[in-house]
Amino acid sequence: MHTRQVQYRGFQREDGLWDIEGEMKDTKSEDFDIPGEGHWAPGEAIHHMLIRVTVDAGFVVRDIQVAMDSVPHAECPPAQAAMHTMIGCGMAGGWRQAIERNLGGIQGCAHLRELLFNLATAAFQTIPSAFEADAERPPMHLGRCTAWDFNGPLVQRQHPIFFGHVPTRRKPPQA
């Protein structure tokens, strides 16, 4: 009855910054009507939204661009303007809180917020520095899931210097 396709892509730019893109498309397998709003044929996008976030190597948002190519209501597109409040926010810590603070409730669009939540994961998978460590700072992915538990066998094998590490609360980078 309903299909949601979500895709993330990450690119390194010539200027040293990174573009992380998210795209969401909602379709129905049968005719779909919202009385007074519109009619969508099977496979026609009800929602088709794209976000491009430009970040630096420290995972700080430097720019954001949004497109709402298909939306079910005329009231949806003005939500794009609020997306610029995310410029200067860091993805390395407090990302979801920043999204809720800047775009939560009626300040933004629920669908764009959903795309933004996981843009950080795509950024970490794209930017090599996310996996770098030094003697005092573990890579960002350690302590973030069962497999990368500081007390687990994977950390013991791959990052023995941080086996048993007790992390301090991470502070988001300053803009």
Side-chain angles (χ1 to χ4, degrees):
M1 295 290 299
H2 179 80
T3 299
R4 171 166 286 177
Q5 296 173 311
V6 179
Q7 183 174 18
Y8 292 95
R9 294 172 292 273
F11 306 93
Q12 184 172 20
R13 297 166 30 144
E14 290 182 11
D15 62 4
L17 298 176
W18 302 84
D19 283 338
I20 312 299
E21 298 177 344
E23 179 177 7
M24 175 189 294
K25 189 181 284 189
D26 285 332
T27 60
K28 300 287 186 187
S29 60
E30 298 177 3
D31 283 337
F32 181 71
D33 288 293
I34 298 177
E37 301 290 330
H39 171 85
W40 292 266
E44 185 179 357
I46 299 163
H47 293 108
H48 186 198
M49 301 176 179
L50 302 99
I51 299 174
R52 178 184 300 128
V53 174
T54 302
V55 297
D56 60 26
F59 297 89
V60 175
V61 176
R62 297 297 175 202
D63 193 18
I64 189 165
Q65 297 171 359
V66 183
M68 297 175 106
D69 293 345
S70 294
V71 293
H73 310 289
E75 291 80 5
C76 295
Q80 295 174 88
M83 298 295 284
H84 287 94
T85 63
M86 295 302 295
I87 295 173
C89 294
M91 290 181 162
W95 178 243
R96 288 180 180 247
Q97 292 87 355
I99 292 169
E100 284 304 317
R101 183 177 58 254
N102 290 306
L103 303 170
I106 61 170
Q107 298 177 92
C109 165
H111 297 84
L112 293 176
R113 281 193 302 272
E114 288 178 24
L115 271 175
L116 273 179
F117 283 149
N118 293 314
L119 269 176
T121 302
F124 293 131
Q125 293 292 326
T126 301
I127 302 172
S129 64
F131 296 96
E132 293 174 359
D134 56 41
E136 298 172 16
R137 183 185 56 87
M140 292 182 190
H141 63 287
L142 299 191
R144 299 290 180 141
C145 71
T146 300
W148 289 109
D149 180 353
F150 283 108
N151 298 310
L154 185 56
V155 171
Q156 188 173 27
R157 281 193 318 271
Q158 298 291 322
H159 300 280
I161 190 171
F162 295 111
F163 181 69
H165 176 76
V166 177
T168 57
R169 189 168 191 278
R170 295 180 183 182
K171 295 180 182 175
Q174 298 298 312

Coordinates of all heavy atoms in Angstrom, one line a residue, residues 94-160:
G94 N 25.0 15.9 20.2 CA 23.8 16.8 20.3 C 23.0 17.1 19.1 O 22.2 18.0 19.1
W95 N 23.3 16.3 18.0 CA 22.6 16.5 16.7 C 21.1 16.4 16.8 O 20.4 17.3 16.4 CB 23.2 15.6 15.7 CG 22.6 15.7 14.3 CD1 21.9 14.7 13.7 CD2 22.7 16.8 13.4 NE1 21.5 15.1 12.4 CE2 22.0 16.4 12.2 CE3 23.3 18.0 13.5 CZ2 21.9 17.2 11.1 CZ3 23.1 18.9 12.4 CH2 22.5 18.5 11.2
R96 N 20.6 15.4 17.4 CA 19.2 15.2 17.5 C 18.5 16.3 18.3 O 17.4 16.8 18.0 CB 18.8 13.8 17.9 CG 19.1 12.8 16.9 CD 18.7 11.4 17.3 NE 19.0 10.4 16.3 CZ 18.1 9.8 15.6 NH1 16.8 9.9 15.9 NH2 18.4 8.9 14.6
Q97 N 19.2 16.7 19.4 CA 18.7 17.7 20.3 C 18.6 19.1 19.5 O 17.7 19.8 19.7 CB 19.5 17.9 21.5 CG 19.4 16.7 22.5 CD 20.4 15.6 22.2 OE1 21.1 15.6 21.2 NE2 20.4 14.5 23.0
A98 N 19.7 19.3 18.7 CA 19.7 20.6 17.9 C 18.6 20.6 16.9 O 17.9 21.6 16.7 CB 21.0 20.7 17.2
I99 N 18.3 19.4 16.3 CA 17.2 19.3 15.3 C 15.9 19.6 16.0 O 15.1 20.4 15.5 CB 17.1 17.9 14.7 CG1 18.4 17.8 13.8 CG2 15.8 17.8 13.9 CD1 18.6 16.3 13.3
E100 N 15.6 19.0 17.2 CA 14.4 19.3 17.9 C 14.3 20.7 18.4 O 13.2 21.3 18.3 CB 14.2 18.3 19.1 CG 13.8 16.9 18.6 CD 12.6 16.9 17.8 OE1 11.6 17.6 18.1 OE2 12.6 16.2 16.8
R101 N 15.4 21.3 18.9 CA 15.4 22.7 19.4 C 15.1 23.6 18.2 O 14.3 24.6 18.4 CB 16.8 23.0 20.0 CG 16.8 24.4 20.6 CD 18.2 24.6 21.3 NE 19.3 24.4 20.5 CZ 20.2 23.4 20.5 NH1 20.0 22.4 21.4 NH2 21.2 23.3 19.6
N102 N 15.7 23.4 17.1 CA 15.6 24.4 16.0 C 14.4 24.1 15.0 O 13.9 25.1 14.4 CB 16.9 24.4 15.1 CG 18.0 25.0 15.9 OD1 18.0 26.1 16.4 ND2 19.1 24.3 16.0
L103 N 14.0 22.9 14.9 CA 13.0 22.5 13.9 C 11.8 21.7 14.5 O 11.0 21.3 13.7 CB 13.7 21.7 12.8 CG 14.8 22.3 12.1 CD1 15.5 21.3 11.2 CD2 14.4 23.5 11.3
G104 N 11.8 21.5 15.8 CA 10.7 20.7 16.4 C 9.4 21.3 16.3 O 9.2 22.5 16.1
G105 N 8.4 20.5 16.5 CA 7.0 21.0 16.5 C 6.6 21.7 15.2 O 6.9 21.2 14.2
I106 N 6.0 22.8 15.4 CA 5.5 23.5 14.2 C 6.6 24.4 13.5 O 6.3 25.1 12.6 CB 4.2 24.4 14.5 CG1 4.6 25.4 15.6 CG2 3.1 23.4 14.9 CD1 3.5 26.4 15.7
Q107 N 7.8 24.4 14.1 CA 8.9 25.2 13.5 C 9.4 24.6 12.2 O 10.0 25.3 11.4 CB 10.1 25.2 14.5 CG 9.7 25.9 15.8 CD 10.9 25.8 16.7 OE1 11.7 26.8 16.7 NE2 11.1 24.7 17.4
G108 N 9.2 23.3 11.9 CA 9.7 22.7 10.7 C 8.8 21.7 10.2 O 7.6 21.7 10.4
C109 N 9.3 20.7 9.5 CA 8.6 19.7 8.8 C 9.1 18.3 9.4 O 10.3 18.0 9.4 CB 8.9 19.7 7.3 SG 8.4 18.3 6.4
A110 N 8.1 17.5 9.8 CA 8.4 16.2 10.3 C 9.3 15.3 9.4 O 10.2 14.6 9.8 CB 7.1 15.4 10.7
H111 N 9.0 15.4 8.1 CA 9.7 14.6 7.1 C 11.1 15.0 6.9 O 12.0 14.2 6.8 CB 8.9 14.6 5.8 CG 7.6 13.9 5.9 ND1 6.5 14.7 6.3 CD2 7.2 12.7 5.6 CE1 5.4 13.8 6.3 NE2 5.8 12.6 5.9
L112 N 11.3 16.3 6.9 CA 12.7 16.9 6.8 C 13.5 16.6 8.1 O 14.7 16.3 8.0 CB 12.6 18.4 6.5 CG 12.1 18.8 5.2 CD1 12.0 20.3 5.0 CD2 12.9 18.2 4.0
R113 N 12.8 16.6 9.2 CA 13.5 16.3 10.5 C 14.0 14.8 10.4 O 15.1 14.5 10.8 CB 12.6 16.5 11.7 CG 12.5 17.9 12.1 CD 11.9 18.0 13.5 NE 10.6 17.5 13.6 CZ 9.4 18.1 13.4 NH1 9.5 19.4 13.0 NH2 8.3 17.5 13.5
E114 N 13.1 13.9 9.9 CA 13.5 12.5 9.8 C 14.7 12.3 8.9 O 15.6 11.6 9.3 CB 12.3 11.7 9.2 CG 11.2 11.5 10.2 CD 10.0 10.7 9.6 OE1 10.3 10.0 8.6 OE2 8.9 10.9 10.0
L115 N 14.8 13.0 7.8 CA 15.9 12.9 6.9 C 17.2 13.5 7.6 O 18.3 12.9 7.5 CB 15.7 13.7 5.7 CG 15.1 13.0 4.5 CD1 14.8 14.0 3.4 CD2 15.9 11.9 4.0
L116 N 17.0 14.6 8.4 CA 18.2 15.2 9.0 C 18.8 14.2 10.1 O 20.0 14.2 10.3 CB 17.8 16.5 9.7 CG 17.9 17.7 8.9 CD1 17.4 18.9 9.7 CD2 19.3 17.9 8.3
F117 N 17.9 13.6 10.9 CA 18.4 12.7 12.0 C 19.5 11.8 11.4 O 20.6 11.6 12.0 CB 17.3 11.8 12.5 CG 16.3 12.5 13.5 CD1 15.0 12.2 13.5 CD2 16.7 13.6 14.3 CE1 14.1 12.8 14.4 CE2 15.9 14.2 15.1 CZ 14.6 13.8 15.2
N118 N 19.3 11.1 10.3 CA 20.2 10.1 9.9 C 21.3 10.7 8.9 O 22.2 9.9 8.5 CB 19.4 9.0 9.2 CG 18.7 8.2 10.2 OD1 19.2 7.9 11.3 ND2 17.4 8.0 9.9
L119 N 21.2 11.9 8.6 CA 22.3 12.5 7.8 C 23.6 12.5 8.6 O 24.7 12.3 8.0 CB 22.0 14.0 7.5 CG 21.2 14.3 6.2 CD1 20.9 15.7 6.0 CD2 22.0 13.8 5.0
A120 N 23.5 12.5 9.9 CA 24.8 12.5 10.7 C 25.4 11.1 10.5 O 26.7 11.0 10.3 CB 24.5 12.7 12.2
T121 N 24.7 10.0 10.5 CA 25.2 8.7 10.3 C 25.9 8.6 8.9 O 27.0 8.1 8.8 CB 24.1 7.6 10.4 OG1 23.6 7.7 11.7 CG2 24.7 6.2 10.2
A122 N 25.2 9.2 7.9 CA 25.8 9.2 6.5 C 27.1 10.0 6.5 O 28.1 9.6 5.9 CB 24.8 9.7 5.5
A123 N 27.1 11.1 7.3 CA 28.4 11.9 7.3 C 29.5 11.1 8.0 O 30.6 11.1 7.5 CB 28.1 13.2 8.1
F124 N 29.2 10.4 9.1 CA 30.3 9.6 9.7 C 30.8 8.5 8.8 O 32.0 8.2 8.8 CB 29.8 9.0 11.0 CG 29.5 10.1 12.1 CD1 28.3 10.0 12.8 CD2 30.4 11.1 12.4 CE1 28.0 11.0 13.7 CE2 30.1 12.0 13.3 CZ 28.9 12.0 14.0
Q125 N 29.9 7.9 8.0 CA 30.3 6.9 7.1 C 31.1 7.5 5.9 O 31.9 6.8 5.2 CB 29.1 6.1 6.5 CG 28.4 5.3 7.6 CD 29.2 4.2 8.1 OE1 30.0 3.6 7.3 NE2 29.1 3.8 9.3
T126 N 30.9 8.8 5.6 CA 31.6 9.4 4.5 C 32.9 10.0 4.8 O 33.9 9.9 4.1 CB 30.7 10.5 3.9 OG1 29.4 10.0 3.5 CG2 31.3 11.3 2.7
I127 N 33.0 10.7 6.0 CA 34.2 11.5 6.3 C 35.2 10.6 7.1 O 34.9 10.2 8.2 CB 33.8 12.7 7.1 CG1 32.8 13.5 6.3 CG2 35.0 13.5 7.5 CD1 32.2 14.7 7.0
P128 N 36.4 10.3 6.6 CA 37.3 9.4 7.2 C 37.7 9.8 8.6 O 38.0 9.0 9.5 CB 38.6 9.5 6.3 CG 38.0 9.9 5.0 CD 36.9 10.8 5.3
S129 N 37.8 11.1 8.9 CA 38.2 11.5 10.3 C 37.3 11.0 11.4 O 37.7 11.0 12.6 CB 38.3 13.1 10.3 OG 37.1 13.7 10.2
A130 N 36.1 10.6 11.1 CA 35.2 10.0 12.1 C 35.8 8.8 12.7 O 35.5 8.5 13.9 CB 33.8 9.7 11.5
F131 N 36.6 8.1 12.0 CA 37.2 6.8 12.5 C 38.6 7.0 13.0 O 39.2 6.0 13.4 CB 37.1 5.8 11.4 CG 35.7 5.5 11.0 CD1 35.1 6.1 9.9 CD2 34.9 4.6 11.7 CE1 33.8 5.8 9.6 CE2 33.6 4.3 11.4 CZ 33.0 4.9 10.3
E132 N 39.1 8.2 13.0 CA 40.5 8.4 13.5 C 40.5 8.6 15.0 O 39.5 9.0 15.6 CB 41.0 9.7 12.8 CG 41.2 9.5 11.3 CD 41.7 10.8 10.6 OE1 41.8 11.9 11.3 OE2 41.9 10.8 9.4
A133 N 41.6 8.2 15.6 CA 41.8 8.3 17.0 C 43.2 8.8 17.3 O 44.0 8.7 16.4 CB 41.5 7.0 17.7
D134 N 43.4 9.3 18.5 CA 44.7 9.5 18.9 C 44.8 8.9 20.3 O 43.8 8.3 20.8 CB 45.1 11.0 18.9 CG 44.2 11.9 19.7 OD1 43.7 11.5 20.8 OD2 43.8 13.0 19.3
A135 N 45.9 9.0 21.0 CA 46.1 8.3 22.3 C 45.1 8.8 23.4 O 44.8 8.1 24.3 CB 47.5 8.5 22.8
E136 N 44.5 10.0 23.2 CA 43.6 10.5 24.2 C 42.1 10.6 23.7 O 41.3 10.8 24.6 CB 44.1 12.0 24.5 CG 45.4 12.0 25.1 CD 46.0 13.4 25.3 OE1 45.2 14.3 25.3 OE2 47.2 13.5 25.5
R137 N 41.9 10.4 22.5 CA 40.5 10.5 22.0 C 40.1 9.3 21.1 O 40.7 9.1 20.1 CB 40.4 11.8 21.1 CG 39.0 12.1 20.6 CD 38.9 13.3 19.7 NE 39.8 13.2 18.6 CZ 39.5 12.6 17.4 NH1 38.3 12.1 17.3 NH2 40.4 12.6 16.4
P138 N 39.1 8.5 21.6 CA 38.7 7.4 20.8 C 38.0 7.8 19.5 O 37.4 8.9 19.5 CB 37.8 6.6 21.7 CG 37.3 7.6 22.7 CD 38.4 8.6 22.8
P139 N 37.9 7.0 18.5 CA 37.1 7.3 17.3 C 35.6 7.5 17.8 O 35.2 6.9 18.7 CB 37.2 6.0 16.5 CG 38.4 5.3 17.0 CD 38.6 5.7 18.4
M140 N 34.9 8.3 17.0 CA 33.6 8.7 17.4 C 32.6 7.5 17.5 O 31.6 7.6 18.2 CB 33.0 9.7 16.3 CG 33.7 11.0 16.4 SD 32.9 12.1 15.2 CE 34.0 13.4 15.2
H141 N 32.9 6.4 16.8 CA 31.9 5.3 16.7 C 32.0 4.4 17.9 O 31.1 3.6 18.2 CB 32.0 4.5 15.4 CG 33.4 3.8 15.2 ND1 34.5 4.5 14.9 CD2 33.7 2.5 15.3 CE1 35.5 3.7 14.8 NE2 35.1 2.5 15.1
L142 N 33.1 4.5 18.7 CA 33.2 3.6 19.9 C 32.2 4.0 21.0 O 32.0 5.2 21.2 CB 34.6 3.7 20.4 CG 35.8 3.2 19.5 CD1 37.0 3.0 20.3 CD2 35.4 1.9 18.8
G143 N 31.6 3.0 21.6 CA 30.6 3.3 22.6 C 29.3 3.7 22.1 O 28.4 4.1 22.9
R144 N 29.0 3.5 20.8 CA 27.7 3.9 20.2 C 26.8 2.8 19.9 O 25.7 3.0 19.4 CB 28.0 4.8 19.0 CG 28.8 6.0 19.2 CD 28.0 7.0 19.9 NE 28.7 8.2 20.2 CZ 28.2 9.4 20.1 NH1 27.0 9.6 19.8 NH2 29.0 10.5 20.3
C145 N 27.2 1.5 20.0 CA 26.4 0.4 19.8 C 26.9 -0.8 20.5 O 28.1 -0.8 21.0 CB 26.2 0.2 18.3 SG 27.7 -0.5 17.5
T146 N 26.2 -1.9 20.5 CA 26.6 -3.1 21.1 C 28.0 -3.6 20.6 O 28.9 -4.0 21.4 CB 25.6 -4.2 20.9 OG1 24.3 -3.8 21.5 CG2 26.0 -5.6 21.6
A147 N 28.2 -3.6 19.3 CA 29.4 -4.2 18.7 C 30.6 -3.3 19.2 O 31.7 -3.9 19.4 CB 29.3 -4.2 17.2
W148 N 30.4 -2.0 19.3 CA 31.6 -1.1 19.6 C 31.6 -0.7 21.1 O 32.1 0.3 21.5 CB 31.5 0.1 18.7 CG 31.9 -0.2 17.3 CD1 31.1 -0.2 16.2 CD2 33.2 -0.6 16.8 NE1 31.8 -0.5 15.1 CE2 33.1 -0.8 15.4 CE3 34.4 -0.8 17.4 CZ2 34.1 -1.2 14.6 CZ3 35.5 -1.2 16.6 CH2 35.3 -1.4 15.2
D149 N 31.1 -1.6 22.0 CA 31.1 -1.4 23.4 C 32.6 -1.3 23.8 O 33.4 -2.1 23.5 CB 30.4 -2.6 24.1 CG 30.4 -2.5 25.6 OD1 31.1 -1.6 26.2 OD2 29.8 -3.4 26.2
F150 N 32.9 -0.3 24.6 CA 34.3 -0.1 25.1 C 34.8 -1.4 25.8 O 36.0 -1.6 25.9 CB 34.4 1.1 26.0 CG 34.4 2.4 25.3 CD1 33.3 3.2 25.4 CD2 35.5 2.8 24.6 CE1 33.3 4.4 24.7 CE2 35.5 4.0 23.9 CZ 34.4 4.8 24.0
N151 N 33.9 -2.2 26.4 CA 34.3 -3.4 27.1 C 34.1 -4.6 26.3 O 34.2 -5.7 26.8 CB 33.4 -3.5 28.4 CG 33.7 -2.3 29.3 OD1 34.9 -2.0 29.6 ND2 32.7 -1.7 29.8
G152 N 33.8 -4.5 25.0 CA 33.6 -5.6 24.1 C 34.8 -6.1 23.4 O 35.8 -5.5 23.3
P153 N 34.6 -7.3 22.8 CA 35.8 -7.9 22.1 C 36.2 -7.2 20.8 O 37.4 -7.2 20.5 CB 35.2 -9.3 21.8 CG 33.8 -9.3 21.9 CD 33.5 -8.2 22.9
L154 N 35.3 -6.5 20.2 CA 35.7 -5.8 19.0 C 36.6 -4.6 19.3 O 37.6 -4.4 18.6 CB 34.4 -5.3 18.2 CG 34.6 -4.7 16.9 CD1 35.4 -5.6 15.9 CD2 33.3 -4.3 16.2
V155 N 36.3 -3.9 20.3 CA 37.1 -2.8 20.7 C 38.5 -3.3 21.2 O 39.5 -2.8 20.9 CB 36.5 -1.9 21.8 CG1 37.5 -0.9 22.4 CG2 35.3 -1.2 21.2
Q156 N 38.4 -4.5 21.9 CA 39.7 -5.1 22.4 C 40.6 -5.5 21.2 O 41.8 -5.3 21.3 CB 39.3 -6.3 23.3 CG 40.6 -6.8 24.0 CD 40.2 -7.9 25.0 OE1 39.2 -8.6 24.8 NE2 41.0 -8.1 26.0
R157 N 40.0 -6.0 20.1 CA 40.8 -6.4 19.0 C 41.2 -5.2 18.1 O 42.4 -5.1 17.7 CB 39.9 -7.3 18.0 CG 39.8 -8.7 18.5 CD 39.3 -9.6 17.4 NE 38.1 -9.1 16.6 CZ 36.8 -9.2 16.9 NH1 36.5 -9.9 18.0 NH2 35.9 -8.7 16.1
Q158 N 40.3 -4.3 17.8 CA 40.5 -3.2 16.9 C 41.2 -2.0 17.5 O 41.9 -1.2 16.8 CB 39.2 -2.8 16.1 CG 38.6 -3.9 15.3 CD 39.5 -4.3 14.1 OE1 40.0 -3.4 13.5 NE2 39.5 -5.6 13.8
H159 N 40.8 -1.7 18.7 CA 41.3 -0.4 19.4 C 41.7 -0.8 20.8 O 41.1 -0.3 21.8 CB 40.2 0.6 19.4 CG 39.8 1.1 18.0 ND1 40.5 1.9 17.3 CD2 38.7 0.7 17.3 CE1 39.9 2.1 16.1 NE2 38.8 1.4 16.1
P160 N 42.7 -1.6 21.0 CA 43.0 -2.1 22.4 C 43.3 -1.0 23.4 O 43.1 -1.1 24.6 CB 44.2 -3.1 22.2 CG 44.7 -2.8 20.8 CD 43.6 -2.2 20.0

